[in-house]
Amino acid sequence: MNQNLTQQWLTEIQTLKEQMAGLQSDRDVAWESAQKWRQLYNTEAEQRRTDAQLSQQAIASLKADLHKLRGLEVETLAAETPATAIKQEIEQLKSVEDLQAKLIAVIKERDRLLQALKTEQDNHAQTRNSLTTALGDAIDSLTQERARKEKESK
């Protein structure tokens, strides 16, 4: 009888070891999946930062071209304070019509930049939501797989 009890204990210990090994394997799979999703998120975030930086450079380049076309020297603008540059640009306006045209151009540029910012914010939110959903789905799948394995082992 003592040997039978010992055998039951050894069997129970072996079963627990197997369950523990299975759970450790599941944990490792979940960890690898989480690492993969983190990497994907970081890659996407880096791409967004790069795109934003390229867009800022393009905007700066276009503004420099616009100033050149209007007869303003980029070197003059860079050497002076923004307030001085603005005053010089205002002084070049000779009539109310010029002022109105300038105001319309500035408002259009502001609206375009606001739209670009909103688009970028929407894209960022969509990416974040997509990645969060995918991560949640992966966790749900892992939980279901664990539950299935527990049912099978019983």
Side-chain angles (χ1 to χ4, degrees), residues 22-23 54 66 70 73 115:
L23 291 173
L54 291 174
L66 181 63
R70 289 189 177 160
E73 292 299 320
Q115 183 61 39

Side-chain angles (χ1 to χ4, degrees), residues 44-103:
E44 179 68 20
E46 184 62 33
Q47 182 62 42
R48 295 274 181 204
R49 285 190 289 272
T50 301
D51 289 347
Q53 184 179 17
L54 291 174
S55 296
Q56 288 173 348
Q57 290 172 352
I59 289 170
S61 174
L62 290 172
K63 283 183 179 180
D65 291 345
L66 181 63
H67 286 304
K68 281 184 182 178
L69 291 173
R70 289 189 177 160
L72 296 175
E73 292 299 320
V74 175
E75 296 81 25
T76 304
L77 289 176
E80 298 173 351
T81 62
T84 306
I86 292 170
K87 286 179 185 177
Q88 283 183 349
E89 198 167 338
I90 291 172
E91 289 172 0
Q92 291 179 357
L93 301 174
K94 302 294 182 196
S95 67
V96 173
E97 290 81 16
D98 290 343
L99 182 60
Q100 288 174 340
K102 181 68 175 177
L103 181 59

